[in-house]
Amino acid sequence: MARTRASQILGNYSTPLNEALYLSPLGPILKQLFKYMSEPRDLFSDGFIRLSQPAVLNDPFEASFCRESLEELASHFDDSMAQDPEFGNLSFSQYIEMRMHNIGVICFSENKENLLMWAHYANEHKGLAVGVVSTLGNGSIFQNLFRADTLINSSWCEEYSPFHGTPKPVSYRKGLRYRNDKFDYDYSNISVEGADRILYEVFMQKSDEWIYEQEHRVVLRLEQADRVVLESIDLIPNGRVKDRIVSADYSMIDFVTGRVVIDLLEIQNDAERLSTSMQLVKLSRNPNVVYLMKLSSSSINNCLFGLRSDFEKKSVLGGHASSTGYLDVWKAKKNLEYYSLEFQEI
C-alpha cells in the first residue's frame, strides 16, 4: 500500500495508513485518527468541524457519574467545594450539573475500517472519513485554540486546564465514574486543577458497549468555539450583544433565511470574544445551534470515501485542508475474502 504524505515527510521512521502511530526519533509521536462523516460540509474547504454539545450527542448517558461517591471523594480534598467564576462555591456535583452544557466534544476513532461506524456515522457507507493526525502530548489539532482559561474555567491557569485541544482515548467501563474507583486516581493537585478536572473526566468515559468505536475525544468549553451558527439572531436574549453581532464585521446574516454565522475567531480582543461567546453558550441546550472549531490544515492528512460514496477527489482538494500540500485521498472497496474494507489511493 502506498504511504501517505505524512509517512513521506517522516521518512523510514513512519508507518503506513493502516497503522495508528507515526514514530520518529527526530520529532514528535503522531497519532492517526479518523472522523466519520455523512458529507464533507466545510471541513476540507474551510477547516471547520462541529463541537457537539450534550443536546446533540446520541448517548443519553453522556457525563453520567455517581453523585454520592463524588461527594465522598471531594470530602477528602483540601477544599471540598468547587469554585465557579459566576456562581461562587458549589459542590463538585453541582458544578458538573450546571456546567455540563458548556462543554462540547469532537469524536474520532482509531479505526478507519469499522463497518458499523461506516454504517452509523457515514451515511451507510455513502459518506467519508477524515484522517486527522494529532501530536501525542498536549499539541492542539486546531488552527488557533482560544485559551481564556482564567476567565471561563475553575483551574488556576492555562497550564492546568484540561481543555487543551488534544484528542485523548475514551475510558470504557461498566459502572458510573467514581462509583467503585473514586480513590484509584491521584487528586493531590485538585486545588489548582479545579473542578474542571472532574468535568473533563466525566466526558471522557462511556459504557463499555461503545468499545467498538475505539474513540478518542477532544473535550472543550463551548466558549472556545471558533464559529457559531444560529437559525435566527433573535435567539440571543441579550439585546446589547445582539446589536453588536448584527453590526459586526465578524458576523454574516442571511436576510432571506435569517441564518447567522458568527466567526468568533476573527475577534481580536479577547475580552470582547469572551463576552460574546458566553452569551452564545447560553443557547447550547438548543440542538439547532451549531458550534464549530477550525482545524489546523496540517492536522488534516487524509480523506477516505466510503464504499458507496459518490464524492469525487476534486471536491475535497484546493481548500484549507490541502493548503499545506499533504492531503491524500482514498476510496474504500470490498475485500473479496472477508467482511472487511480495503482502501485504494485515488
Side-chain angles (χ1 to χ4, degrees):
M1 181 177 289
R3 293 186 301 165
T4 63
R5 297 288 185 265
S7 297
Q8 292 167 6
I9 292 171
L10 295 172
N12 294 329
Y13 302 107
S14 63
T15 58
L17 176 64
N18 62 333
E19 296 295 332
L21 294 177
Y22 297 123
L23 306 176
S24 173
L26 305 178
I29 300 177
L30 306 179
K31 182 75 173 180
Q32 179 69 67
L33 301 171
F34 301 93
K35 175 68 175 179
Y36 290 86
M37 303 176 67
S38 59
E39 56 185 357
R41 303 190 187 98
D42 297 328
L43 195 149
F44 293 96
S45 59
D46 298 318
F48 287 104
I49 188 170
R50 186 165 189 177
L51 182 63
S52 299
Q53 67 268 41
V56 301
L57 297 175
N58 62 1
D59 182 3
F61 291 94
E62 289 287 357
S64 296
F65 64 99
C66 182
R67 182 185 182 117
E68 293 79 10
S69 295
L70 175 57
E71 294 308 326
E72 182 183 353
L73 172 63
S75 70
H76 295 270
F77 297 162
D78 291 338
D79 188 346
S80 62
M81 302 297 289
Q83 308 301 314
D84 184 89
E86 182 178 0
F87 299 106
N89 286 344
L90 299 170
S91 72
F92 278 79
S93 295
Q94 289 174 326
Y95 185 85
I96 293 174
E97 290 165 356
M98 294 185 68
R99 290 303 183 186
M100 64 179 289
H101 292 283
N102 292 58
I103 295 298
V105 301
I106 304 174
C107 306
F108 301 94
S109 175
E110 292 183 13
N111 190 345
K112 70 182 187 303
E113 302 165 1
N114 190 296
L115 301 183
L116 290 178
M117 298 287 283
W118 278 104
H120 295 163
Y121 298 111
N123 192 20
E124 300 172 354
H125 294 257
K126 294 188 286 288
L128 67 152
V130 182
V132 174
V133 65
S134 169
T135 305
L136 296 187
N138 286 332
S140 169
I141 60 174
F142 303 106
Q143 179 169 289
N144 189 17
L145 184 66
F146 182 52
R147 298 294 298 269
D149 293 292
T150 57
L151 299 176
I152 60 176
N153 299 334
S154 68
S155 55
W156 277 17
C157 63
E158 180 178 315
E159 179 182 356
Y160 297 104
S161 171
F163 307 123
H164 41 59
T166 305
K168 299 290 185 182
V170 165
S171 173
Y172 296 102
R173 55 205 301 121
K174 292 189 179 297
L176 296 182
R177 184 68 189 245
Y178 310 115
R179 176 65 182 88
N180 297 311
D181 61 353
K182 54 184 173 290
F183 298 120
D184 291 352
Y185 300 90
D186 181 8
Y187 292 98
S188 60
N189 207 34
I190 191 68
S191 60
V192 293
E193 293 170 326
D196 283 330
R197 155 80 185 270
I198 306 295
L199 185 59
Y200 177 87
E201 284 180 351
V202 298
F203 274 95
M204 289 300 297
Q205 52 92 35
K206 298 187 69 172
S207 164
D208 61 3
E209 294 193 25
W210 295 92
I211 198 168
Y212 73 93
E213 292 188 344
Q214 297 177 263
E215 184 179 343
H216 289 237
R217 279 188 170 183
V218 173
V219 178
L220 295 173
R221 296 281 299 230
L222 291 174
E223 290 93 339
Q224 295 175 272
D226 291 323
R227 171 179 283 182
V228 179
V229 182
L230 309 178
E231 292 178 306
S232 169
I233 192 67
D234 293 328
L235 289 174
I236 300 174
N238 186 298
R240 183 175 58 83
V241 173
K242 183 192 301 184
D243 292 342
R244 188 170 69 210
I245 289 174
V246 168
S247 61
D249 293 336
Y250 56 77
S251 61
M252 296 170 288
I253 301 177
D254 186 325
F255 291 101
V256 176
T257 64
R259 184 174 182 265
V260 185
V261 178
I262 306 164
D263 279 326
L264 295 165
L265 76 173
E266 294 184 7
I267 303 177
Q268 299 301 312
N269 183 282
D270 282 356
E272 180 182 354
R273 176 170 179 174
L274 181 61
S275 65
T276 304
S277 66
M278 289 177 71
Q279 293 298 318
L280 297 173
V281 167
K282 293 179 179 180
L283 309 176
S284 66
R285 293 175 189 262
N286 182 342
N288 295 320
V289 175
V290 178
Y291 302 87
L292 299 161
M293 298 297 299
K294 186 162 187 173
L295 290 167
S296 165
S297 60
S298 60
S299 70
I300 308 169
N301 67 340
N302 283 286
C303 173
L304 297 84
F305 293 139
L307 191 65
R308 299 172 176 171
S309 173
D310 293 327
F311 296 121
E312 297 181 354
K313 181 176 181 178
K314 63 182 180 181
S315 67
V316 298
L317 297 178
H320 175 78
S322 57
S323 61
T324 55
Y326 307 125
L327 179 66
D328 289 335
V329 183
W330 307 75
K331 173 70 174 177
K333 63 178 184 177
K334 283 185 179 179
N335 183 300
L336 300 180
E337 298 179 353
Y338 300 94
Y339 290 111
S340 64
L341 296 174
E342 297 178 353
F343 292 89
Q344 181 176 2
E345 190 169 10
I346 57 175

